[in-house]
Amino acid sequence: MTISYEKFGLKEVINASGRMTILGVSKVSEAVLKAQQFGGEHFFEMADLSEKTGAYIANLLKVEDAQIVSSASAGIAQSVAAVIGQGSLFHAYHPYTEKITAREILLPKGHNVDYGTPVEVMVQQGGGQVVEAGYANMCSAEHVEMMITDQTAAILYIKSHHTVQKSMLTVKEAAAVAKSHQLPLIVDAAAEEDLFKYVAEGADLVIYSGAKAIEGPSAGLVIGKKTLIEWVRLQGKGIGRAMKIGKDNILGFTQAIEDYLAKGSESGVSMKTRLVPFIEGLNKIKGLTAQVVQDGAGRDIYRGSVQVTGEKSAKEVIAELKEKNPAVYTREYQANNGIIEFDIRSVNEEEMNKIVQRLKEIM
């Protein structure tokens, strides 16, 4: 049976938006596909597969334990349920019971963002109650500490380009507060590229997306303290049952982690080099001014930033880029300022030429 865009009446997509969930996040390698195929063609004792792959990944990452889940969002919900339930099977079965009194999850106000769904939705799904610390433009260690009560279950830190970057406490500072009050620190680092940094900085649980920087299949990873990971794993008998991941993606993701550690991801230097002819082509189009910019959160990611100054607005150009086949998706966060960003990590030279040609037609 042949699989194609045409079979289902789908448009091809050029993904210049980045590793975004709405576009299927990323492509997987042949090695990952083979691991997924092996998983799909064989049977396993699923509890054993979960524990053994977790132990294998933990050894690769030099952490106490690891658990593969269905997504980074599931990782947040199950981690919250874990720290609230404290390893109790009753609490896994009844995560919203009134018998649990410590449900508060402290979160810097500037971290309570919508990344496709609000962070607080995942916290609530795990049985937690968000308590915001600090202000939208500022949160210090003192702001977090003053909100701690006997009902506090954990501190949650969102490391993301979606969150407020300025005047925020660091992961190390959040870890120091958590440790001084004997609370776990959960770090959601879904799209981050460093799989070692946040545990080293004192986080007790760290959550990654499988399909973003790691370029695996749809999956999530929770790493950290062994006891806490065991509590996360226990949620498979509770809310995690509705978020279970298949054997094919468990093995595919494990392979993706191994490959990622061996090969890494594209460097910023490489991105800047590939962007040169793209930027030159865009600057030849009347009404567009293009330059290379670094990721706003300081990651080693470089993008094409295009200021739209013609008769059409940036929002109109973005809409027209999506209309035809292939549909071109861009980063739209600065459209109100007349700026369109192009993330080329998943875009090849041929696709960049298609984008330049499409923009010539639109402008």
Side-chain angles (χ1 to χ4, degrees), residues 67-72 74-75 78 207-208 218-222 232 243-245 253:
Q67 173 69 18
I68 295 176
V69 293
S70 62
S71 66
Q78 291 179 62
I207 302 159
Y208 295 95
S218 293
L221 177 66
V222 188
V232 171
M243 311 170 188
K244 61 186 177 182
I245 182 171
F253 183 36

Side-chain angles (χ1 to χ4, degrees), residues 13-75:
V13 171
I14 295 176
N15 179 10
S17 178
R19 287 161 186 166
M20 309 299 285
T21 300
I22 62 166
L23 300 178
V25 194
S26 63
K27 301 173 183 176
V28 299
S29 68
E30 287 292 329
V32 170
L33 285 173
K34 286 180 180 178
Q36 288 180 282
Q37 183 176 358
F38 180 81
E41 292 177 345
H42 296 84
F43 294 106
F44 307 88
E45 295 174 340
M46 291 302 292
D48 193 45
L49 179 65
S50 176
E51 288 187 28
K52 295 290 175 57
T53 53
Y56 186 82
I57 293 166
N59 182 59
L60 290 175
L61 299 181
K62 310 303 179 189
V63 294
E64 292 182 17
D65 205 352
Q67 173 69 18
I68 295 176
V69 293
S70 62
S71 66
S73 291

Side-chain angles (χ1 to χ4, degrees), residues 72-73 159-160 187-193 207-214:
S73 291
K159 185 66 180 176
S160 168
V187 174
D188 171 36
E192 293 297 298
E193 300 194 349
I207 302 159
Y208 295 95
S209 168
K212 291 184 179 172
I214 302 169

Side-chain angles (χ1 to χ4, degrees), residues 83-131:
V83 298
I84 287 172
Q86 300 271 309
S88 163
L89 181 60
F90 175 83
H91 291 156
Y93 284 166
H94 305 282
Y96 312 117
T97 176
E98 292 181 358
K99 292 183 179 180
I100 299 175
T101 56
R103 290 187 176 276
E104 293 181 355
I105 306 296
L106 285 187
L107 178 71
K109 188 177 183 68
H111 287 191
N112 192 11
V113 296
D114 186 324
Y115 61 91
T117 190
V119 169
E120 61 189 324
V121 169
M122 292 301 104
V123 172
Q124 291 164 356
Q125 192 166 4
Q129 298 170 349
V130 167
V131 173

Side-chain angles (χ1 to χ4, degrees), residues 301-322:
I301 298 171
Y302 289 83
R303 304 186 178 98
S305 176
V306 180
Q307 180 78 51
V308 180
T309 56
E311 293 180 3
K312 294 180 180 179
S313 70
K315 287 186 176 182
E316 288 172 326
V317 173
I318 288 168
E320 290 192 44
L321 282 169
K322 293 177 184 177

Side-chain angles (χ1 to χ4, degrees), residues 170-181:
T170 64
V171 170
K172 283 184 178 180
E173 290 170 336
V177 173
K179 186 176 181 180
S180 68
H181 290 271

